[in-house]
Amino acid sequence: MKTYIALFRGLNVGGQNMLPMQALVAILESLGLGQVKTYIQSGNAVFRSDKANVAPLSEQICAAIKQHQGFEPQLVLLDLAELEQAVRANPFPDAETQPNTLHLNFLLSAPANPDLNALAAIKKDNERYSLIDQVFYLHAPEGIGRSKLAAQAEKRLGVAMTGRNWRTVCKLVELAKA
């Protein structure tokens, strides 16, 4: 059995794509996934499965949600080793003490032609970012709500992504290891 972490994009945000976590657990369990746990209402789930291929599993999960809820979410599905690697690769360890200012944005696919120069041109002096594999790390000390860089990152990278702050990522690792 392998441990997976499901990061749903845009779930329960702004009154759109509403999916109570209890319903998400039921849907995942109906697919034969085990030890399902969720964390906060924004679409984070940890579960175990004997399926080794992520792409069909992700498609199966999204199709089941569409069947039960009437919308098909976007999903980044990682195994525990991938999430732990994203944590280890954090280029801004000094920002870990302010977990709400450090964000890991997980890309739905690898960017073909990211415009990193455009990102550099709009970032504030105190902001830092790094693209490592399929994770866009952003340290925004003033918060992402005030960051033009945060607002433009997805467009400039050319790939949809879903972000989690450092505290959430660490909690998901903890849940996955339990």
Side-chain angles (χ1 to χ4, degrees), residues 126-148:
N126 65 347
E127 292 179 323
R128 301 178 286 172
Y129 68 90
S130 182
L131 177 62
I132 301 174
D133 297 322
Q134 286 184 220
V135 181
F136 180 74
Y137 297 84
L138 173 60
H139 178 227
E142 296 175 24
I144 61 169
R146 296 183 175 167
S147 171
K148 289 181 184 179

Side-chain angles (χ1 to χ4, degrees), residues 58-123:
S58 179
E59 290 172 13
Q60 185 182 22
I61 291 168
C62 291
I65 291 171
K66 183 174 185 178
Q67 178 184 357
H68 289 89
Q69 298 298 124
F71 67 89
E72 188 168 357
Q74 291 181 309
L75 170 62
V76 173
L77 189 58
L78 306 168
D79 65 31
L80 177 56
E82 290 170 315
L83 188 60
E84 288 178 318
Q85 175 56 35
V87 168
R88 281 192 304 275
N90 173 24
F92 312 118
D94 59 307
E96 293 173 11
T97 60
Q98 298 173 311
N100 291 334
T101 67
L102 178 59
H103 297 266
L104 282 67
N105 297 280
F106 297 89
L107 283 63
L108 274 66
S109 62
N113 192 20
D115 190 350
L116 299 178
N117 290 331
L119 290 176
I122 59 174
K123 81 171 199 61

